[in-house]
Amino acid sequence: MIARLTGALEEKTPDQLIINVSGVGYQVFVSLQTFYRLPALHESVSLQIHTHLREDALLLYGFLEEKEKASFLLLKGVSGIGPRLALNILSGIPVDELENALRSSDVTRLVAVPGVGKKTAERLVVELR
């Protein structure tokens, strides 16, 4: 399992990047929260990685902070939420704001995140409160 990648940031788009580690380019999916804090191209970056193995693919999800990775894993643990939706939620709401919305059962704030409907928001509140 890949737990951390450190290397040169070769390419970056709002949802994914390529990190060159000793000549091997790793495609890593990131949230907008991580994307906005990345260094400039060709500079060194170190990301904590969640390795997601599917039947047809090995996908890497990267995070600059442990808190964001922990939130991603909690979200992914909710029934009906996969890694792409979990990353999308983290792109639409900062971690601290997400925690506050869950604590206060603020379904309206959660529904404001693209891809999150009322039933999903309610499930998040029930399972993560």
Side-chain angles (χ1 to χ4, degrees), residues 2-65:
I2 298 171
R4 176 176 294 281
L5 284 176
T6 301
L9 185 58
E10 291 294 317
E11 296 177 28
K12 64 179 181 177
T13 62
D15 64 337
Q16 64 182 317
L17 47 98
I18 305 279
I19 299 177
N20 184 333
V21 180
S22 301
V24 177
Y26 290 89
Q27 179 185 36
V28 180
F29 296 96
V30 295
S31 71
L32 286 174
Q33 303 301 319
T34 294
F35 174 77
Y36 291 134
R37 296 191 339 255
L38 289 171
L41 288 178
H42 308 295
E43 290 189 20
S44 180
V45 65
S46 183
L47 294 176
Q48 296 182 42
I49 299 294
H50 169 73
T51 305
H52 182 76
L53 182 60
R54 289 192 334 209
E55 187 175 295
D56 61 341
L58 177 86
L59 304 172
L60 304 177
Y61 295 88
F63 310 92
L64 284 172
E65 295 181 358

Side-chain angles (χ1 to χ4, degrees), residues 96-118:
D96 293 334
E97 200 174 320
L98 174 63
E99 289 174 354
N100 290 336
L102 292 170
R103 277 193 199 105
S104 64
S105 301
D106 189 354
V107 172
T108 304
R109 175 60 184 108
L110 296 171
V111 170
V113 175
V116 178
K118 186 175 181 187

